[in-house]
Amino acid sequence: MHAANPFRSGLETDRIPAPCVFVIFGASGDLSRRKLLPALYNLAVSRLLPPGMSIVGVSLREMGDEQYRATMHDAVAEFSRRKPIDEAVWDDFASRLFYESGKFEDPGTFARLRERLEQIDAASGTRGNRLYYLAVPPSTFAVINDNLAKAGLVAAPDDATRYTRIVVEKPFGRDLASANELNQSLHRVFDERQIFRIDHYLGKETVQNLVALRFGNAIFEPLWNRNHIDHVQITVAEDIGVEARGKFYEEAGATRDIVQNHLLQLLMVTAMEPPVAFKADEVRDEKVKVLRALKPIRGEDVARYTVRGQYGPGNFGGQPVLGYRQEANVSPASRVETFVAMKLEVDNWRFAGVPIYVRAGKRLAKRVTEISVHFKSVPHALLAQEGPLEPDVLVVRIQPDEGIGLRFVAKVPGPTMTLRPVTMDFRYGSTFGGSGPEAYERLILDAMLGDPTLFARADEVTAAWRFVTPILEGWARTPEVEPAAYAAGTWGPSAAFELLERDGRAWRRL
Ligand code: BG6
């Protein structure tokens, strides 16, 4: 039946979520406009939202339902992956979209919310099911959670008649101590089974495809270890700068913004052992083990194995662009890193001794996220060749141009045995046609279904901070050392290249 609906492709599911009310705190913010409402609308287009499901936006700004609908119509028209907006779907969607304004510290806000939710339950059969989405800074989590509990808006985790779940956005803390505090404050009100910590990288089709590649094929896994792999590279490169988020970025930097969460998630999926089943705890158990196996980088190793950079003025697409320190809401003397590169090692039976080089940054030469697995060279130079043979490389392109490429060596046609690297390429777009669902669509659907497999568990988040915090502390101990400058539109500071050159290796040209 599903196959008849072309929009279901990529999100086919036999399970339709139970009707619920989806409550967004921070409903007029950037995330709601750019990601959440467009994702919910696209789920509606795909006919994946349960009948009767309603959405209530909550935030400080004064406005009524109609004004909220109009504002979100414009946001969806601008940011939806499917354009133009389907007005018939939108009208039905908008009739289930409501808005409550109020302060999060004010219990009155929650009393009004409760009344609104009860009215919706009575009218739409949502039966007390609640999905709260915290699209707000973590400093407001505690007060929202406590007020939800005080207003009687949280069901017990094993209540069989209705459910309450909460989705929390990053940043999940700024170091190990604050992440622990956040977990404790969430656990005061919610059981871990009710908490969905979102990392949108896990919702990307290509990240899930890495699981399919590794565990759905027999040919890769036997090679996926220290006997055959020379090293791994993970790049999360963005061409944009900090845009309007200078204030946020001054507090975060590339390590907190990308490495602690998205990049380590990519690493976990690359390096984890096969789980016994593709189920929430089985998968997350294996992922956490990867973090626990990461060789700590602390003390003098911080300077040896990590590189920080910050973009200066440069060029992008032929246009001059600002340096980080000239961006709005950024200190002209800022030492915040907009680029980071590290040499990591997963110190376990499978990967001991295999360097994993990672880098992430803003205002790099292009937007590309990929994982490349570089295999060892052949043991014996049987075939005459000028210079060394290029080793085989398997590339998982997360975005854009999603796909998988295998580079190997082939003979150039002709009378001599001349060898040249060639590529076998699988491209998502041409094989499956069009673009798949956005990460947020997949993850919102999973949260409604109560499936936390692609969400971070408490111990996963704290293990990631346990690894990253000593690096941040190491940098903080030498405040006089500035991040190395790189011109906007380049591949980062020279120190990032030296990190690999020291080992006789080089970053892949992207
Ligand atoms: C967000 C970061 O989590 O991820 C942003 O806060 C970054 O700084 C974004 O731009 C990248 O996401 P994507 O899906 O565009 O790779």
Side-chain angles (χ1 to χ4, degrees):
M1 193 177 84
H2 291 166
N5 179 350
F7 294 128
R8 278 193 193 272
S9 61
L11 277 185
E12 282 190 29
T13 170
D14 297 334
R15 295 178 298 160
I16 292 293
C20 68
V21 187
F22 191 94
V23 183
I24 307 175
F25 292 93
S28 52
D30 223 38
L31 184 76
S32 297
R33 293 178 50 252
R34 283 171 185 268
K35 297 289 182 190
L36 302 184
L37 268 297
L40 286 160
Y41 159 78
N42 275 293
L43 286 171
V45 174
S46 307
R47 282 177 254 154
L48 287 168
L49 292 185
M53 177 189 162
S54 298
I55 300 159
V56 179
V58 186
S59 68
L60 190 58
R61 193 181 301 175
E62 293 271 348
M63 63 180 142
D65 291 342
E66 282 308 328
Q67 196 187 339
Y68 186 59
R69 289 169 186 159
T71 319
M72 289 304 133
H73 177 277
D74 294 351
V76 171
E78 186 176 351
F79 296 112
S80 165
R81 72 182 162 97
R82 293 187 185 115
K83 289 191 171 95
I85 202 163
D86 179 331
E87 296 297 345
V89 174
W90 174 263
D91 287 346
D92 176 55
F93 181 80
S95 70
R96 307 193 252 149
L97 187 58
F98 306 96
Y99 185 78
E100 277 298 334
S101 62
K103 291 196 175 122
F104 301 146
E105 310 79 50
D106 176 9
T109 307
F110 293 79
R112 289 196 302 281
L113 178 63
R114 182 182 170 142
E115 217 170 288
R116 185 57 91 94
L117 295 177
E118 283 168 359
Q119 284 164 7
I120 295 173
D121 280 346
S124 314
T126 34
R127 296 185 240 144
N129 291 329
R130 311 282 181 249
L131 192 63
Y132 301 119
Y133 199 111
L134 301 189
V136 288
S139 52
T140 54
F141 288 2
V143 69
I144 293 175
N145 298 342
D146 291 345
N147 277 328
L148 282 171
K150 281 187 203 140
L153 286 168
V154 179
D158 31 27
D159 186 332
T161 62
R162 59 192 179 127
Y163 74 72
T164 299
R165 298 184 194 126
I166 188 157
V167 183
V168 288
E169 268 290 339
K170 65 176 274 270
F172 199 84
R174 49 177 296 105
D175 53 20
L176 181 58
S178 54
N180 278 332
E181 268 168 39
L182 274 181
N183 274 333
Q184 279 159 14
S185 115
L186 279 166
H187 287 149
R188 270 205 306 276
V189 176
F190 300 97
D191 185 88
E192 181 63 23
R193 284 170 293 167
Q194 296 172 296
I195 304 169
F196 291 67
R197 294 174 197 78
I198 203 163
D199 184 311
H200 77 282
Y201 268 57
L202 285 177
K204 290 187 190 274
E205 284 287 321
T206 32
V207 176
Q208 294 162 51
N209 193 37
L210 177 55
V211 176
L213 173 91
R214 289 193 55 200
F215 305 128
N217 296 290
I219 59 170
F220 299 111
E221 209 44 28
L223 303 178
W224 213 262
N225 57 54
R226 65 192 307 279
N227 299 326
H228 301 282
I229 297 177
D230 174 74
H231 75 282
V232 177
Q233 299 184 10
I234 304 180
T235 298
V236 182
E238 295 186 85
D239 52 12
I240 53 171
V242 292
E243 302 187 295
R245 298 162 76 222
K247 186 162 172 278
F248 159 79
Y249 208 83
E250 281 283 272
E251 290 292 311
T255 312
R256 291 186 172 94
D257 190 37
I258 300 284
V259 176
Q260 182 272 340
N261 36 68
H262 306 326
L263 201 148
L264 287 184
Q265 286 292 348
L266 297 180
L267 171 69
M268 285 185 256
V269 179
T270 306
M272 72 181 188
E273 294 298 318
V276 288
F278 198 68
K279 287 194 181 147
D281 279 332
E282 282 77 356
V283 169
R284 297 184 297 177
D285 286 348
E286 295 307 333
K287 283 169 58 198
V288 176
K289 282 189 207 161
V290 174
L291 295 179
R292 290 210 202 109
L294 273 176
K295 209 182 233 181
I297 300 181
R298 45 174 58 121
E300 290 179 356
D301 284 346
V302 175
R304 194 170 308 140
Y305 297 127
T306 73
V307 171
R308 277 178 299 162
Q310 188 188 71
Y311 64 86
N315 268 289
F316 195 79
Q319 297 294 320
V321 292
L322 297 178
Y324 178 68
R325 291 178 182 182
Q326 289 81 51
E327 302 272 17
N329 299 317
V330 169
S331 155
S334 174
R335 293 179 178 207
V336 167
E337 82 287 359
T338 62
F339 173 94
V340 57
M342 299 181 184
K343 178 181 175 182
L344 312 180
E345 190 181 333
V346 176
D347 203 8
N348 63 12
W349 193 271
R350 185 191 282 263
F351 276 115
V354 178
I356 301 183
Y357 302 99
V358 303
R359 58 180 168 170
K362 296 236 182 243
R363 276 281 183 240
L364 297 179
K366 67 180 190 201
R367 173 173 183 255
V368 50
T369 297
E370 69 155 50
I371 300 162
S372 55
V373 179
H374 301 243
F375 291 93
K376 291 194 170 167
S377 303
V378 289
H380 171 58
L382 177 67
L383 302 168
Q385 159 84 8
E386 278 176 35
L389 271 181
E390 299 245 6
D392 303 337
V393 182
L394 179 72
V395 178
V396 180
R397 292 189 304 271
I398 306 292
Q399 64 189 21
D401 189 22
E402 292 83 353
I404 294 173
L406 181 62
R407 195 189 69 179
F408 58 101
V409 162
K411 177 186 174 301
V412 179
T416 56
M417 187 50 118
T418 309
L419 305 179
R420 210 189 75 188
V422 293
T423 306
M424 244 168 16
D425 222 3
F426 151 65
R427 291 190 136 78
Y428 252 82
S430 48
T431 304
F432 293 117
S435 64
E438 279 260 339
Y440 276 94
E441 292 171 47
R442 165 72 198 242
L443 295 173
I444 287 173
L445 187 64
D446 280 0
M448 288 195 291
L449 288 164
D451 181 352
T453 311
L454 300 178
F455 292 82
R457 210 168 52 189
D459 55 343
E460 197 174 325
V461 174
T462 46
W465 280 119
R466 194 164 290 122
F467 174 71
V468 163
T469 303
I471 298 173
L472 296 167
E473 286 169 353
W475 293 337
R477 266 197 301 276
T478 51
E480 69 289 355
V481 182
E482 301 206 348
Y486 62 98
T490 65
W491 280 109
S494 54
F497 293 87
E498 287 151 20
L499 185 71
L500 275 73
E501 278 160 20
R502 279 204 311 256
D503 298 344
R505 300 188 177 98
W507 291 108
R508 239 172 70 76
R509 264 180 199 248
L510 301 176

